[in-house]
Structure formats: C-alpha cells, structure tokens
RNA sequence: GGAGGAGUGGCAGAGUGGUCGAAUGCACCGGUCUUGAAAACCGACGAGGGUGAAAGUCCUCCCAGGGUUCGAAUCCCUGCUCCUCCGCCA
C-alpha cells in the first residue's frame, strides 16, 4: 500500500484500503478471543505446582519426611531444660509484652545482650558464607513489585501469607524473592554461572493459618531476620548445588556446635514451587524436639520459566532456562533460640558457642542476670 | 510531593505518519597490508521465537501495555525507568 501511495496510484490505493479495513474488523474479533483464552490459560498455568524430583519420597505429610543426616548429640541435662523465654539469662532481653503494645502479637523487642547476640549471629552467618563458602554478599530491597512475587511463586496462590503496602508493593516473606528475581528477564552468559548470593534481610509473614501454633516465644513471628542463600545455576549443576547449599547451612550449625538433623521433604510436605527440599532441624532441648531452622530447595526451571530467566549456552545455542535454588542459612531468630536453649546451665546462665567469642569481645557466657561475661 | 525533560541495536546517536528492523560513528568479528601489532583499507555485524540436515525462510520486537490510523520508532493515553530543578527526608 505504501508502494501504491508512493507511485500515486490512487485507485489501487483505495482498493487495498477497503480490503484492509474489512480484514481488520475480523482481526480485532479474533484478537479478543485469543487474548481471553490466553489469559485464562496463563492463570491456570501459574496455579500449577512444580513436579517433585524422582528421588523425593512419597508421603502424605511431615511424618513421612526422610532423615538423611544427623549431627551432634543432644546434651544430657541434669535438670529440666527451659524454653528460651524462661531462661533467666535471656528472659529480660526478650520482651513480648512491650512488643505487643507496639505492634501486636508475634513480635518481640530485643534488648541488651539478646539484641547483640541476635545481631552477632547474623553477622557470623554472613561472614562464614562470604569467607568460607564463597557466596556474594548482597543487600536487597525488602519491598518488591508484584511481578516479582509471581516470579518466585508466592503469587497468585499464596498472597494471603504476605503483606502488601497500600501502593502495591509486597513485603518480602523471604530474601529468596529479591535474590532470585535478580535474574528476572535476563539472558546470562553461561560462563558467569553459577551465581551464588547471600543476603541478611528482614522477612515478613502474615502467618495466616498458623493461629495458635508456636505462639510462645520468638519461634514464629510476623517479622524476623533470615540469612538467605540463592544460587542461579546451569541445569546440569543444580543437583550438586543443592547439596552444596545444604552443607553450607549445616556448617553454620556445626560451627555453633548445635545438634541437628536434616530431612528430605516427602511429596506431601513439599512446597508449591519446589522439586526437592531439605529441611534442617536444630535440637531445642526446651521443647525436647528438633525444629526447622533452614529449608533448602531446588526449584529447577520452575521459577526461571515464570521469570523468563535464561542463559546462553557456551556452544552458542539458543537460550535455555536457568535453574534456581534457595535456602536459609539460617533463620537468625530460631538459631538464637537454639543457642540459648542448648547453652543453658542449671544456674540460669548460658554458655555461648566458641565461634562467637570474637564477635562478643572475648566473652564466653551470659550470666543469669543477662550480662556477658 | 511538585515542575519539566528523556527512554532507538554492545555503546553513542540519527530518524516526527508511508517499502524503517532502522542512517552514521565506535566497539566486536573476518580479511588485506605488516616479521608481529597498531594505523589504514575491505567485508560482515541487533535480539527472541517457529521451521529446516543446512543454506535458508517465516513471525515478533525501536522501555511496557493500550489506543488512533489503510499504515506508528514517529501521534494519543496509562505504567515503568532515568535525568534536571524545587520541596521533604535518613
């Protein structure tokens, strides 16, 4: 038509013009149909969970998880060990009442030695991951766009578990969201893989559906701190990376001399977007139970597909989807609970792990009245 | 928060309604020249997807999404991002 116009052939131009106009209406109708159907299809696809890896054990719930590692021996207590919030050395520094005044239930105000221990634990974790495990320290926003929550799989199905600001940002429930979405929409050079990030962030969770569970102490909070690891890998490397990350997390507990066990989640307990998940559970003598301090998962290409995150193969082939993995390394608050409960003494004081001494001015314990000594 | 301006290939930067997926320069790549390199010169040179054994071929893409039009990089609307100024704040 451009040619006809340029040649000044007005008759041909008008004929073509009418023809196009006619087809245009049909086209518009068809486009509407396509759009409606593809939106519906997309919604369905976004609601589909990931496929478990072949070696994930079948099972209905957490009782069917399979232990794959156990480290350390729980101490033999000559007295009945207390829960963290009842230990004299910790009691005054964990203030749930004043936190309730400020913010409501499931919050805590830490003061003095508790605040310092909490901070120091996070720093110890970061230092270990950066210096010994070669992860890239990363500091991210904790408010993210909605599409990032789709990218890692929190949305569309699990919006009620997180918080959203009035202008549309989401508060991250885990640093997995910003760290993984760093590669959202990117085509990476294969030679830059793997990418290994670690970040210490606040996390926010509504804890919808957990009413009445773990309400005592600081085990389950709306706001907590976590050191998170995220690896972006070539598909061939992701399985090995999963084990590497698990060791990184386990290493933190070993250095802190805290007994733990590692389980592989069965199909029934596996999260929406994950192929295989290892949970690391630390021994809490006050509860006489192993409790989760870390969850390390391989998403395969599940998140990468949602994010359209790809890499260019070294042989120059077409871009392929990356694999993404994430894991806590570790939940700071829960880890502190373990330090408190495992180190408690009959006199109400707490012996601290050796590795923290350098962070605590050489001090080795918390006295029953809450001071470092 | 207010007022302006801008988003084009790896980078810079033309293009303001008609064979534009897009000038030019730089970078990169191949070659000539050279003992070698540089310079100079010649050539090639955006991305994603479909199809194909390959050569090729088709589709989509000028921040994103809508709209106007027979036709949009170009006009309109919305969003996002960046820049400048003012305000405010850590």
């Amino acid at each position: 038509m451009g040619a006809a116009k340029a040649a000044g052939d007005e008759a041909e131009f008008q004929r073509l013009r009418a023809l196009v106009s006619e087809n245009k209406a049909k086209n518009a109708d068809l486009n509407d149909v396509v759009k409606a159907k593809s939106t519906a299809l997309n919604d369905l696809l976004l609601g589909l969970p990931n496929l478990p890896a072949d070696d994930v054990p079948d099972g209905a719930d957490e009782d069917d998880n399979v232990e794959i590692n156990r480290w350390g021996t729980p101490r033999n207590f000559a007295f009945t060990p207390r829960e963290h919030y009842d230990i004299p050395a910790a009691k005054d520094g964990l203030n749930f009442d004043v936190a309730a005044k400020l913010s409501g239930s499931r919050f805590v105000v830490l003061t003095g030695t508790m605040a310092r221990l909490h901070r120091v634990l996070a720093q110890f974790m970061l230092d270990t991951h950066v210096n010994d495990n070669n992860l890239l320290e990363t500091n991210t926003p904790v408010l993210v766009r909605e599409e990032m929550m789709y990218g890692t799989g929190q949305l569309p199905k699990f919006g009620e578990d997180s918080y959203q600001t009035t202008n549309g940002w989401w508060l991250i429930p885990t640093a997995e969201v910003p760290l993984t979405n760093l590669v959202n929409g990117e085509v990476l050079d294969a030679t830059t893989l793997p990418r290994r990030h670690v970040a210490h962030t606040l996390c926010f969770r509504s804890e919808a559906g957990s009413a009445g569970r773990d309400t005592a102490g600081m085990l389950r909070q709306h706001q907590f701190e976590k050191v998170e690891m995220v690896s972006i890998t070539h598909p061939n490397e992701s399985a090995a990376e999963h084990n590497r990350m698990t060791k990184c997390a386990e290493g933190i507990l070993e250095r802190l001399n805290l007994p733990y066990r590692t389980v592989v989640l069965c199909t029934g307990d596996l999260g929406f977007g994950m192929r295989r998940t290892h949970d690391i559970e630390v021994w809490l003598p006050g509860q006489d139970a192993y409790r989760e301090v870390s969850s390390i998962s391989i998403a395969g290409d599940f998140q990468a597909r949602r994010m359209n995150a790809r890499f260019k193969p070294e042989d120059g082939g077409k871009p392929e989807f990356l694999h993404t993995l994430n894991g806590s390394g570790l939940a700071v608050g829960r880890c502190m609970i373990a330090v408190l409960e495992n180190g408690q003494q009959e006199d109400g004081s707490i012996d601290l792990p050796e590795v923290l001494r350098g962070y605590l001015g050489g001090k080795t314990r918390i006295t029953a009245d809450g001071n470092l000594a």
Side-chain angles (χ1 to χ4, degrees), chain A residues 56-331:
Chain A
V56 168
D58 281 334
D61 54 37
E62 61 181 48
D63 294 333
D64 296 323
N65 294 341
V66 175
E67 184 174 306
I68 55 174
N69 188 24
R70 185 179 282 246
W71 185 91
T73 311
R75 250 175 75 199
N76 248 324
F77 285 87
F79 59 99
T80 304
R82 309 173 200 253
E83 294 212 51
H84 60 286
Y85 47 84
D86 277 336
I87 302 171
K91 212 171 181 171
D92 292 344
L94 303 172
N95 198 322
F96 298 99
D97 294 336
V98 76
K101 178 182 73 176
L102 295 176
S103 306
S105 65
R106 295 193 189 280
F107 289 91
V108 66
V109 171
L110 303 179
T111 55
T113 303
M114 289 302 106
R116 180 168 180 183
L117 181 59
H118 190 263
R119 162 169 60 87
V120 152
L121 274 169
Q123 189 165 351
F124 160 69
M125 292 174 195
L126 271 178
D127 285 346
T128 302
H129 290 314
V130 170
N131 296 330
D132 299 351
N133 299 331
N134 203 27
L135 311 186
L136 178 64
E137 183 167 356
T138 308
N139 193 303
T140 74
V142 297
L143 294 172
V144 298
R145 294 182 200 287
E146 183 154 273
E147 60 194 276
M148 301 305 143
M149 295 285 279
Y150 276 94
T152 34
Q154 282 74 25
L155 291 176
K157 290 189 89 167
F158 306 102
E160 66 195 22
D161 294 336
S162 293
Y163 296 111
Q164 190 173 28
T165 66
T166 52
N167 68 341
W169 281 321
W170 287 83
L171 282 74
I172 60 169
T174 160
E176 169 197 342
V177 177
L179 289 178
T180 309
N181 277 289
L182 288 171
V183 298
N184 189 314
E186 303 283 340
V187 180
L188 305 183
D189 196 322
T191 58
T192 67
L193 301 176
R195 296 193 178 188
R196 296 177 170 129
H197 293 275
V198 62
H200 166 221
T201 70
L202 284 166
C203 302
F204 303 90
R205 298 187 183 176
S206 71
E207 293 300 340
S210 59
R213 293 175 56 194
D214 303 319
T215 49
M218 59 181 292
L219 196 67
R220 190 182 296 272
Q221 307 269 283
H222 288 307
Q223 169 191 319
F224 61 97
E225 292 181 36
K226 184 160 56 63
V227 171
E228 179 77 1
M229 308 176 285
V230 162
S231 288
I232 310 294
T233 76
H234 188 286
N236 295 340
E237 298 169 341
S238 58
E241 185 71 10
H242 191 208
N243 289 326
R244 181 187 196 273
M245 291 172 77
T246 303
K247 283 194 170 59
C248 288
E250 289 171 341
I252 299 291
L253 292 174
E254 290 173 19
R255 281 165 228 240
L256 291 169
N257 201 28
L258 297 171
Y260 68 83
R261 64 176 198 140
T262 305
V263 301
V264 55
L265 299 194
C266 70
T267 49
D269 204 21
L270 198 57
F272 173 76
M274 300 305 156
R275 283 191 180 171
R276 180 180 168 96
T277 294
H278 297 159
D279 271 7
I280 301 176
E281 300 175 344
V282 70
W283 177 250
L284 295 187
Q287 290 203 355
D288 193 30
Y290 283 99
R291 295 301 305 254
E292 180 184 342
V293 278
S294 174
S295 187
I296 303 120
S297 300
I298 173 169
D301 61 3
F302 181 85
Q303 294 175 324
R305 286 176 183 277
R306 292 173 160 245
M307 298 187 300
N308 195 25
R310 295 169 296 172
F311 70 97
K312 220 178 207 352
E314 287 188 71
D315 63 13
K318 298 191 174 190
E320 298 172 28
F321 288 114
L322 292 157
H323 276 198
T324 62
L325 305 96
N326 63 80
S328 0
L330 310 163

